[in-house]
Amino acid sequence: DSSDMYLMLRLLWQYKGSMKAAIPGALLALIDGAAMPCFSLVFSRALFALALQDKDEIKRQTDLYANLILIFSFAAGLAMFGRIGLFKIAGENTTRQLRHDLFVKFMMFESGFFDDDKHGTGALTSRLATDAEDFNKIVGTVISTFISTTSTILSAMTIAFVYDWHIALLMMACWPIQSYAQYWQARATWGSSMRLRAAYEESGQSAAETIRNIKTVATLRREETFIRIFDEMNDVPHAGNVRSSLYSSVGFGFAMACNMFVNALVFFAGCKFITNGWIDINQLMYSLMATMFASMSIGMLAQVLPMLSKGAVASRGIYETLDRPTAINGIDPAGSETDS
């Protein structure tokens, strides 16, 4: 939902100071994303070199392209290593600061806040652990994947337009289908995330209270009762997770099918363009390979959409704590002092 997305962006902006490592990581993500379309261009030329008649020329060109592919492999490996490592560091720095701010906020709340059943030990510790970790994945994985995917798409489209604008325009016309597939997959998990989060916080609170009073429970021999209550609390989120998994898998399969459909359509249209004399086989191969790698990149983006939905929902829970005013701030030094 749009409000959750706004809160997630607001949280990213608020903790931008802890994401300094992501700046060079973003540059490496751009390089990593552009590597595959550029590799597709070299790979296409290598395939055409194998079709030459002169064996000496075949050896010369294949040696050249093999060395270029080796260089691309090293460059892509270093870029991916730096991208993942730097964004993970940024995510850990942000999560550490976020957990600190949440705990400080807990210390500022009045006693009445903790008397509310919704703010029990289990729910609050779950917020410190789960919500912060979900936001960590936004910084450490989702953002870097979006940057890398954007770079891949722009690089592939540039190559496609250079060699054949027909194929490039056809691919752009297919983007709404692929985008809808990604959106449908995200919506499959987004709506249930908030309900499941609340249900798990309730079961966590029940478990925390049971463990805190375990001596009383053992004395009264009520272990089976609390086990049954805990299992019943987990039945609802378990069923919701099963449904969400099924919907998400259908959405992911639909997204992958759309990518293959785009590749098939581009190949079919390219063959028609060749028979009509609009393009030649070289133009088709260069454009087709670039668009195929772009479609693969969009498919990789589908894998992080569940992380995006969970992170957005977690942002709402985080701001429910950070934005809540406190009636009595016990650690604030401001105020009047009495004469002693």
Side-chain angles (χ1 to χ4, degrees):
D1 139 322
S2 58
S3 62
D4 290 342
M5 285 296 297
Y6 165 75
L7 292 175
M8 185 187 70
L9 295 175
R10 177 187 165 194
L11 198 60
L12 289 170
W13 179 257
Q14 180 175 340
Y15 287 93
K16 62 183 183 297
S18 301
M19 303 180 193
K20 295 178 181 179
I23 297 176
L27 177 61
L28 292 173
L30 291 174
I31 298 174
D32 178 43
M36 293 307 291
C38 295
F39 165 78
S40 72
L41 185 60
V42 175
F43 185 68
S44 299
R45 291 181 178 272
L47 292 178
F48 283 118
L50 294 174
L52 297 175
Q53 300 298 320
D54 189 345
K55 292 185 178 180
D56 292 335
E57 186 65 16
I58 291 176
K59 184 178 185 306
R60 188 186 69 82
Q61 291 198 22
T62 52
D63 287 345
L64 171 63
Y65 292 130
N67 289 327
L68 287 176
I69 291 174
L70 182 63
I71 293 173
F72 270 114
S73 66
F74 279 113
L78 290 175
M80 181 170 290
F81 167 76
R83 170 176 74 90
I84 294 175
L86 290 173
F87 270 98
K88 289 293 185 182
I89 291 173
E92 291 300 326
N93 291 339
T94 304
T95 304
R96 184 181 186 280
Q97 184 62 41
L98 177 60
R99 286 195 173 110
H100 168 80
D101 292 346
L102 286 173
F103 188 73
V104 170
K105 193 69 177 181
F106 290 155
M107 296 296 99
M108 294 168 58
F109 289 149
E110 70 279 4
S111 300
F113 172 83
F114 301 97
D115 293 336
D116 192 335
D117 292 338
K118 296 186 298 182
H119 303 146
T121 306
L124 297 182
T125 53
S126 174
R127 188 164 300 174
L128 276 173
T130 307
D131 288 355
E133 183 61 27
D134 287 340
F135 185 69
N136 184 350
K137 294 176 181 177
I138 295 293
V139 179
T141 302
V142 176
I143 294 178
S144 65
T145 303
F146 267 99
I147 295 174
S148 178
T149 301
T150 302
S151 177
T152 301
I153 293 174
L154 292 178
S155 301
M157 291 307 302
T158 301
I159 294 174
F161 268 111
V162 167
Y163 285 97
D164 179 42
W165 59 269
H166 302 87
I167 299 295
L169 290 179
L170 180 60
M171 180 183 177
M172 291 180 64
C174 294
W175 278 357
I177 299 175
Q178 294 175 292
S179 299
Y180 176 75
Q182 310 295 338
Y183 171 79
W184 191 66
Q185 183 194 5
R187 293 299 300 177
T189 57
W190 202 297
S192 61
S193 295
M194 196 64 189
R195 295 190 299 271
L196 296 179
R197 174 178 171 272
Y200 277 125
E201 283 187 355
E202 184 180 357
S203 65
Q205 172 64 14
S206 174
E209 291 180 354
T210 302
I211 294 172
R212 187 170 60 248
N213 299 284
I214 190 62
K215 293 182 179 180
T216 304
V217 173
T219 301
L220 299 175
R221 303 300 300 165
R222 305 297 294 177
E223 293 92 338
E224 294 295 333
T225 300
F226 285 98
I227 292 174
R228 176 178 52 80
I229 293 174
F230 181 77
D231 288 341
E232 290 175 353
M233 287 183 172
N234 282 322
D235 285 341
V236 173
H238 171 71
N241 273 331
V242 171
R243 287 193 301 270
S244 178
S245 299
L246 292 175
Y247 294 151
S248 180
S249 62
V250 172
F252 184 76
F254 179 55
M256 293 296 100
C258 285
N259 293 336
M260 297 303 295
F261 166 74
V262 170
N263 292 335
L265 180 62
V266 170
F267 182 76
F268 173 77
C271 293
K272 291 295 184 181
F273 295 158
I274 291 177
T275 57
N276 290 332
W278 297 346
I279 62 174
D280 57 32
I281 185 63
N282 291 2
Q283 291 174 300
L284 173 62
M285 283 299 297
Y286 297 149
S287 300
L288 180 63
M289 293 294 289
T291 54
M292 286 181 64
F293 278 107
S295 297
M296 290 168 57
S297 180
I298 294 175
M300 293 175 60
L301 184 62
Q303 299 177 11
V304 303
L305 287 180
M307 298 182 190
L308 178 64
S309 63
K310 290 182 179 180
V313 171
S315 300
R316 179 192 296 184
I318 290 169
Y319 272 117
E320 285 177 356
T321 300
L322 295 180
D323 287 348
R324 182 187 182 278
T326 178
I328 304 173
N329 188 351
I331 65 176
D332 188 356
S336 58
E337 297 182 0
T338 58
D339 297 330
S340 57

